[in-house]
Amino acid sequence: IGRAGASTFDLFDLERIEVLRGPQGTLYGKNVTGGAVNIITAKPTDQNEARLLFTAGNYDLEAKGMFNRALSDSINGRFTFSVRKKDGIYQNVNLDKTSNALEGFSGRAQFDFLISENSHALLTFEASSDDVDGVNNKFFQGWENSIEDFKKYVGSAPPFRNLDGTPFIPAAGMYNSENNIFGYANRDSFAVYGRITSDRDYGTWTFIPAYRSNDLNEYRDGVGMRLRGSGPDSRGFSSGRANDEYYDAISLELRLSSPLESDRLTWISGLYYINEDIDRTQTFSRQLGNGYSAPSFAQAAVNSGLGIFGQLTWVLTNRFNLTVGGRYTKDKKDWDLDVTNTLSEEEQARLTEFFGRAPTIAPARELYSISTDESWTDFSPKIALYFKASEDVMLYASWAEGYKS
């Protein structure tokens, strides 16, 4: 998963979760610098089974289910789903609305094909959708929003003023906010990927093609400080932010690993390719006192990467194992950025008359358009020594280099 915004799937019906600490690039296709989490879902079997789970609380309703059955002598299917409905817990006292309500759905369908005695194919479809009604943002996130809080964490009373010159005091209460914009967040993701394995006398081939897309649309108040007054006498700070992002990626991974009966020496080698397209537009509608701005930041990126990796482990003795590996990576990124003013000349003239000052383009400093591209190559080695102290204790020392473009 190449974007944080795309990781919305529900962790349900899993076989296991593997965690690799430190830099990683010699076992799996994608390289990482700070560790990898490999989430492995439960696979279809030839057993007919089903499981349902319902959860209810004072704010939540949730249902999860799994159905597994043999579809034919050579095809097994497994289907999982998760549905969640959550009431909002924040009260927008400025708009008199309850915010942060959530409705979500995720589903997965897997089909396991027995191609031959030594070959299998697994085809997986995933889809998820999350809708947040009212995105909350507190002026001081996690505080009670009191004068005492501000003095404690900042060292002085709030410098913001009301129209009569008295200090502005945010609404008290951990779950009360004063957003000027109710907001929303809608996210839809889809993925289809396969895994084809074939056992041979000299090793096991594994081919993993994958496609993933994610569509994110959100609009929120980025500050949460109630606007007061109007025109030249306006007070407060509102920073409406619209974020529209579309991401899709195609990846191909081919691995050859040592035969299952290998004893003293095990190894793995592979090729990996990925191409990502990212289109993201952030539009601001900011008002600080009687100052107003509405710039837009449009970004388009195409990222491609090629990796060649390998690792082998040698059983030195019954207690000592030695592992060495390496990865060669070549990355290329093409990036376009356009900063524009979304206000027309007529809108700028009207706002200048209303506020008594011309709109700006804050937080941008200037309008511009740029295009650039860059390429990188890297070789990342790894070496590790393992000592089996007992049946339950393993000690190891590892040195590895990480890389991220």
Side-chain angles (χ1 to χ4, degrees):
I1 299 176
R3 301 288 288 178
S7 57
T8 61
F9 53 86
D10 200 336
L11 299 180
F12 179 61
D13 193 36
L14 301 182
E15 178 182 303
R16 68 185 186 275
I17 297 179
E18 299 174 345
V19 179
L20 298 180
R21 302 180 62 182
Q24 194 289 122
T26 60
L27 285 178
Y28 305 127
K30 191 71 178 76
N31 55 314
V32 295
T33 57
V37 178
N38 190 19
I39 300 173
I40 301 171
T41 59
K43 300 300 184 290
T45 67
D46 58 2
Q47 302 297 312
N48 294 333
E49 57 178 326
R51 185 167 69 249
L52 292 173
L53 174 65
F54 295 94
T55 304
N58 57 337
Y59 286 99
D60 291 76
L61 288 174
E62 189 172 12
K64 298 181 179 181
M66 180 279 295
F67 304 92
N68 185 100
R69 66 175 295 121
L71 303 179
S72 71
D73 291 339
S74 59
I75 305 175
N76 299 320
R78 194 177 188 94
F79 312 91
T80 61
F81 73 89
S82 174
V83 180
R84 184 181 183 189
K85 181 177 177 60
K86 175 181 175 293
D87 295 333
I89 62 173
Y90 287 96
Q91 184 65 30
N92 188 325
V93 298
N94 187 33
L95 302 178
D96 193 25
K97 291 183 177 181
T98 301
S99 61
N100 280 66
L102 168 68
E103 291 187 1
F105 168 82
S106 62
R108 180 171 61 245
Q110 297 185 94
F111 302 92
D112 183 74
F113 301 87
L114 178 61
I115 301 175
S116 67
E117 182 180 356
N118 298 319
S119 300
H120 276 264
L122 179 68
L123 180 62
T124 302
F125 298 89
E126 289 182 346
S128 66
S129 177
D130 294 284
D131 297 310
V132 178
D133 188 23
V135 180
N136 180 80
N137 190 35
K138 288 176 64 66
F139 186 47
F140 305 122
Q141 191 70 37
W143 303 358
E144 288 287 344
N145 275 11
S146 65
I147 292 291
E148 289 71 23
D149 272 332
F150 200 97
K151 288 181 177 179
K152 176 180 178 181
Y153 291 99
V154 180
S156 63
F160 311 107
R161 298 287 173 176
N162 293 310
L163 297 177
D164 59 4
T166 57
F168 167 70
I169 302 176
M174 185 69 73
Y175 298 101
N176 289 334
S177 65
E178 295 183 296
N179 291 192
N180 302 284
I181 299 167
F182 190 58
Y184 59 84
N186 303 320
R187 176 166 32 203
D188 297 290
S189 65
F190 171 78
V192 56
Y193 49 94
R195 184 186 183 95
I196 304 172
T197 58
S198 181
D199 295 326
R200 294 291 184 262
D201 293 338
Y202 54 84
T204 299
W205 287 100
T206 303
F207 178 54
I208 306 175
Y211 170 80
R212 181 176 295 274
S213 68
N214 185 73
D215 192 7
L216 171 65
N217 306 102
E218 59 179 351
Y219 184 46
R220 67 175 67 196
D221 189 327
V223 177
M225 182 179 178
R226 176 169 50 90
L227 291 172
R228 306 172 304 285
S230 64
D233 295 324
S234 298
R235 298 288 188 274
F237 189 8
S238 174
S239 181
R241 186 188 70 184
N243 181 36
D244 298 309
E245 177 181 304
Y246 182 78
Y247 165 86
D248 69 5
I250 296 176
S251 64
L252 301 171
E253 181 175 349
L254 179 65
R255 298 198 301 252
L256 177 61
S257 55
S258 55
L260 298 177
E261 63 272 13
S262 297
D263 186 16
R264 304 287 295 183
L265 188 67
T266 58
W267 49 268
I268 185 171
S269 59
L271 300 171
Y272 179 76
Y273 171 79
I274 187 171
N275 187 88
E276 301 174 304
D277 285 285
I278 306 164
D279 290 294
R280 182 185 185 190
T281 300
Q282 282 192 311
T283 303
F284 291 86
S285 55
R286 290 164 52 105
Q287 182 182 339
L288 176 57
N290 67 331
Y292 190 83
S293 63
S296 174
F297 300 80
Q299 306 167 52
V302 178
N303 306 329
S304 60
L306 175 67
I308 304 173
F309 58 93
Q311 176 177 297
L312 62 87
T313 298
W314 182 22
V315 180
L316 301 176
T317 69
N318 291 335
R319 289 178 175 266
F320 284 95
N321 291 350
L322 176 65
T323 295
V324 294
R327 179 190 183 91
Y328 171 80
T329 305
K330 182 177 182 179
D331 290 327
K332 185 177 187 297
K333 296 189 177 185
D334 296 272
W335 188 62
D336 300 311
L337 173 62
D338 294 295
V339 181
T340 58
N341 190 347
T342 64
L343 299 175
S344 65
E345 292 184 0
E346 292 78 7
E347 290 172 321
Q348 294 183 55
R350 179 175 56 81
L351 290 169
T352 299
E353 181 179 358
F354 179 75
F355 285 114
R357 60 183 295 188
T360 68
I361 56 172
R365 295 186 177 183
E366 60 179 318
L367 304 179
Y368 57 87
S369 177
I370 60 175
S371 297
T372 185
D373 63 85
E374 188 63 73
S375 298
W376 301 266
T377 60
D378 176 80
F379 178 75
S380 304
K382 173 184 178 179
I383 184 169
L385 183 64
Y386 301 87
F387 173 66
K388 188 174 183 180
S390 67
E391 290 294 328
D392 301 319
V393 178
M394 172 77 78
L395 305 176
Y396 70 92
S398 175
W399 177 80
E401 290 186 0
Y403 160 78
K404 185 177 187 302
S405 62

